[in-house]
Amino acid sequence: MRGETPKAQSSRTLSLAYFAFVVALSGVLAFALGKVQPGRGGFAYPEGFYLFRILFYIQFGLFGGALCSVLLYATPRLPVHFFGRTLIWVLFYLWFVWQVVWSLVQRWFGIELTPQMALELFVHPTSIDAVGLSRWEFASVVGISFAIIGLLAAASLSLSRRCGNQLRLRVCFAIGGLFLLLHIPVRVYFVHHINRNDAFILAFDDCAPFPLRSERLIPGLRSARMALPNFESETRTARYFDYVSNLSMPPIPRPRSILWINIESLRFDAIDEQVMPHLWAYRDQFQIQLNQQHWSSGNCTQFGVFSMLTGLSGYHFNTMRRSAMKDPFLNLLAKNNYRLRVAKEAYVRYGGFEVLFPVSTVSSDFDTKLLDEGDRRMVENYLTDRRERDDARLAFDFLPIDAPHWPYRFPADHAVFLPIPDRETSIHLRRSVVDLEKMRNAYRNCCHFADEQIGKVLDDLQVRGHFADTIVIVVGDHGEEFQERGQTAHSAVLNDFQARTVLWMHLPDVDLTPFQIDVPTTHMDIVPTLLQALGFHDDILYTQGRSLLSKLERRPVLSLCEQGFSVPLYRALVTDTYISRWWRTRRQYLFSGVQRRDGMPVQGDEWANEARKLYPAAAGMFEIVPDIFQPPRKFDR
């Protein structure tokens, strides 16, 4: 302004810069959180929702700005060394960047990122490929993120030192006041609808990187939302795991070698004559072909693979990992002198499955940069091993095929379905109809490549004359979505496309007439099926599944794991019409949304009546383990 001294002008400029800095941080955080898309599925929005949606995210931005302004005011007054103040700011901006990254990941994939998931990218570099980044891209993102953290921390230290207490205090009150001005009506609106168990508002409120549920500070303001109890008995669970871990493994009555081919992200509709011609040519050799109603035990690798190998719900994955207990089924094979072999060590290491395999397990590892390259080398190594091993010894071979996993990389000679994305990195995540079709084509090409590798393995088995006397399993760990319900890939809000997959089984000594199975099945059913195929008359391992070779009663509800790494964040209840999701807390499951399986809007409370009525039966395929004091379940046929 005219007449001001240079010192006054400098002070004014610094004040404006200080205020702009805090407002900019608030704006960035609000903008990033505004990209979140919670509650995917059909919902009727309550009146006034669009206004409060905007205010909901602005309050988060203002909260971040208020926290920053408090630190700007307080840190110069703290009796700590410069390095202590620097550490405070680095931690704050680490939190800040995490909110932005969390929001973008949730926007693109529907996944609620956890620190454990992020840590896996550093601990297991092979997981970098699985999220669609090259090693260079990942290193660049991390480097830029930490550079931003460093620059923001330096700017904050400088501003807090150069600006006076009065300015810092005024900004602190201004931003804090704005936050409260928005936060109070937002929470009043949300509490009003939460108290009525509004499905969309509950999902919306749960899906945030950090909670701002201040009404919990006022007793009685917020009524309890609809909840389902956790029926688990810790005593029974501990007794169960102690029993099965010390189980004396009996001789297998009808021993057969087992070839287990696990395909990442194999959709329920993936196998046909054009996409997977080699496997299709063998279709008459598989008595069990489940292509429509077979469900993984979750919509991510950890819960799917754990359940298929153990016959237990993914709910118990972390319990088994913490106890370092071996998988009872694999232990049964090892005790019967099977040669157990993992064809790709990096796969089981990334998923945390290495603890399940007996110490005698043979594994093969090799350094590759791309998923498809790893699959080709895995099959080459496997076929070499087949030629060199003792052919008379019983074997269990686990072959994980990664190519159909996001970001859908495949060799150029498998570009059968066109057009395809221009880039095979995370950058090609787009939303238009044309780009989605390109993604689907890339996925089909990956399945086509995976099929070629499967064909090599099955042809070799056939040439060696061992196909007829080997149990062959071809299964997907989970499904894959291409925006049918508003999401891409998997591991997000569970639905038919992310959780339904394929299970084919060839069983020796069984008539080749295909089994007619017209009820929903899950990965937990694989191990009991194998036990019966190996000659056992009852479920000696006390699994939570059912043998597909026995008479199957229809399950009126499935209880599946949703999101998380080793501990599911949600459980999903699947009925013929609805999928409801329930947020896991220590003692109960809180209702957090519902969708119709056909994608239509949810109306009325039919779904709630179903959930209350059927939920107790679902506990037996989730948190309640079998009672080892009762005789094991008998197989029949």
Side-chain angles (χ1 to χ4, degrees), residues 125-321:
T126 53
S127 61
I128 296 172
D129 300 325
V131 299
L133 294 172
S134 68
R135 306 292 173 88
W136 182 87
E137 286 175 322
F138 176 70
S140 299
V141 169
V142 172
I144 291 172
S145 297
F146 278 102
I148 291 173
I149 291 172
L151 289 173
L152 289 174
S156 298
L157 285 166
S158 175
L159 285 172
S160 64
R161 184 179 65 253
R162 296 175 61 188
C163 296
N165 287 339
Q166 189 176 8
L167 171 64
R168 300 202 311 273
L169 190 59
R170 285 204 307 266
V171 172
C172 188
F173 277 111
I175 300 298
L178 284 173
F179 164 70
L180 291 176
L181 189 65
L182 285 186
H183 176 70
I184 292 173
V186 165
R187 291 322 301 173
V188 169
Y189 176 85
F190 272 77
V191 168
H192 171 77
H193 288 284
I194 288 172
N195 286 345
R196 287 154 180 78
N197 277 312
D198 184 288
F200 185 73
I201 292 297
L202 280 165
F204 197 83
D205 200 42
D206 287 341
C207 189
F210 61 96
L212 284 176
R213 302 184 179 98
S214 56
E215 69 274 10
R216 290 180 174 174
L217 302 175
I218 306 175
L221 181 61
R222 178 166 161 180
S223 62
R225 72 167 85 172
M226 182 178 175
L228 298 174
N230 185 331
F231 289 117
E232 180 185 15
S233 164
E234 294 182 0
T235 301
R236 177 165 169 166
T237 300
R239 187 170 60 225
Y240 171 85
F241 278 102
D242 180 67
Y243 174 82
V244 294
S245 63
N246 294 292
L247 187 63
S248 178
M249 297 300 178
I252 294 176
R254 193 166 54 238
R256 293 289 183 271
S257 287
I258 300 173
L259 172 62
W260 194 310
I261 301 174
N262 177 71
I263 307 173
E264 269 287 339
S265 310
L266 190 67
R267 279 172 61 113
F268 65 92
D269 56 1
I271 301 177
D272 63 34
E273 189 173 7
Q274 287 73 42
V275 177
M276 304 186 76
H278 293 90
L279 184 56
W280 185 260
Y282 276 94
R283 66 190 183 282
D284 293 336
Q285 302 296 315
F286 288 83
Q287 298 95 330
I288 295 176
Q289 296 181 35
L290 305 179
N291 301 315
Q292 293 297 322
Q293 296 196 78
H294 184 75
W295 295 74
S296 174
S297 292
N299 60 343
C300 64
T301 296
Q302 282 72 24
F303 304 131
V305 174
F306 173 79
S307 291
M308 70 170 72
L309 290 175
T310 63
L312 298 175
S313 165
Y315 176 91
H316 300 289
F317 181 29
N318 200 45
T319 300
M320 192 172 283
R321 286 187 69 190

Side-chain angles (χ1 to χ4, degrees), residues 360-587:
S360 60
T361 302
V362 178
S363 60
S364 179
D365 205 10
F366 33 83
D367 183 31
T368 59
K369 295 181 179 179
L370 301 177
L371 300 179
D372 56 312
E373 179 186 343
D375 291 338
R376 196 191 295 275
R377 289 193 58 187
M378 176 189 72
V379 170
E380 290 173 354
N381 287 359
Y382 168 74
L383 296 178
T384 299
D385 182 76
R386 285 287 310 175
R387 290 191 294 269
E388 297 174 352
R389 71 172 62 170
D390 179 3
D391 225 20
R393 186 179 177 186
L394 293 165
F396 171 90
D397 292 302
F398 184 73
L399 279 67
I401 294 180
D402 282 314
H405 194 287
W406 173 269
Y408 317 134
R409 294 189 175 102
F410 55 88
D413 57 334
H414 284 273
V416 177
F417 301 95
L418 299 172
I420 56 176
D422 297 329
R423 292 191 62 183
E424 296 182 2
T425 70
S426 58
I427 307 302
H428 76 265
L429 177 64
R430 302 185 179 98
R431 301 286 174 179
S432 72
V433 173
V434 173
D435 287 323
L436 282 172
E437 186 58 26
K438 289 181 179 180
M439 288 173 58
R440 290 189 186 97
N441 286 336
Y443 173 80
R444 294 184 187 107
N445 291 335
C446 289
C447 291
H448 192 270
F449 165 73
D451 176 71
E452 180 185 66
Q453 308 312 307
I454 294 170
K456 293 176 182 178
V457 172
L458 298 184
D459 289 347
D460 175 78
L461 197 62
Q462 190 78 277
V463 168
R464 293 179 179 278
H466 288 298
F467 191 97
D469 58 15
T470 300
I471 296 174
V472 180
I473 302 171
V474 178
V475 64
D477 60 342
H478 49 71
E480 193 79 340
E481 182 182 353
F482 296 103
Q483 292 286 312
E484 287 91 348
R485 296 292 181 267
Q487 301 168 110
T488 301
H490 58 272
S491 292
V493 178
L494 185 144
N495 56 43
D496 280 65
F497 300 93
Q498 293 189 27
R500 276 194 299 162
T501 183
V502 170
L503 172 62
W504 283 22
M505 297 182 72
H506 164 76
L507 305 168
D509 311 314
V510 177
D511 186 83
L512 287 177
T513 303
F515 280 49
Q516 297 300 315
I517 299 175
D518 57 1
V519 298
T521 57
T522 78
H523 278 356
M524 292 189 298
D525 300 329
I526 297 177
V527 167
T529 303
L530 291 174
L531 290 176
Q532 186 170 359
L534 292 171
F536 290 100
H537 297 295
D538 46 35
D539 188 350
I540 64 166
L541 301 181
Y542 285 86
T543 71
Q544 292 177 292
R546 307 175 305 180
S547 171
L548 302 176
L549 303 180
S550 295
K551 182 179 178 180
L552 296 175
E553 295 181 0
R554 181 176 181 82
R555 291 179 173 118
V557 60
L558 303 178
S559 188
L560 310 176
C561 302
E562 180 189 309
Q563 303 199 49
F565 193 81
S566 60
V567 176
L569 300 181
Y570 297 87
R571 77 183 300 169
L573 295 181
V574 182
T575 66
D576 290 340
T577 307
Y578 302 100
I579 301 179
S580 57
R581 62 198 309 250
W582 303 81
W583 180 35
R584 176 177 177 169
T585 65
R586 180 172 175 80
R587 296 297 182 187

